Amino acid sequence: MVAAAALIMVAVFAGFVVTQDAIVKPIAFALDFGVLVDALLIRMTFLPAVLLWVGRRGWWLPLSLQKILPNVDIEGRDLPKSAAQPRGTPAAAPQRD
């Protein structure tokens, strides 16, 4: 997703690099270079390496934020068993995590 967005931005800025305006050319080139460095070097190599290095500490959430953020249960694991299974349907085999 990041690479696709970066490629779109680079294509747009590259269109400005080929214009005849002497003021727009260096700005467009700088934006092109900045987006490429950010997308390819920082977000696709450096950031994953740092997250791998710090492990679970990279996903730490402060307790004050954890208290005010809602618990979004997309898969329905926190639902009571009676609400998760409608009447008349056979019980499913237990899922393993």
Side-chain angles (χ1 to χ4, degrees):
M1 192 66 117
V2 172
L7 286 175
I8 291 170
M9 291 174 68
V10 166
V12 169
F13 296 144
F16 289 116
V17 170
V18 297
T19 63
Q20 298 300 324
D21 193 356
I23 296 174
V24 174
K25 273 186 176 187
I27 295 171
F29 179 75
L31 288 171
D32 249 349
F33 182 74
V35 167
L36 279 176
V37 167
D38 177 57
L40 298 177
L41 193 64
I42 303 298
R43 295 185 194 261
M44 295 182 86
T45 56
F46 182 71
L47 190 65
V50 168
L51 284 174
L52 183 67
W53 181 56
V54 297
R56 292 193 53 86
R57 291 176 289 161
W59 301 102
W60 174 74
L61 184 64
L63 188 59
S64 60
L65 280 178
Q66 195 170 6
K67 288 180 182 178
I68 62 172
L69 289 175
N71 182 19
V72 180
D73 184 24
I74 296 173
E75 297 176 355
R77 291 185 182 183
D78 293 338
L79 290 175
K81 295 296 181 189
S82 61
Q85 178 183 350
R87 292 183 186 189
T89 57
Q95 295 180 353
R96 296 183 183 181
D97 291 320

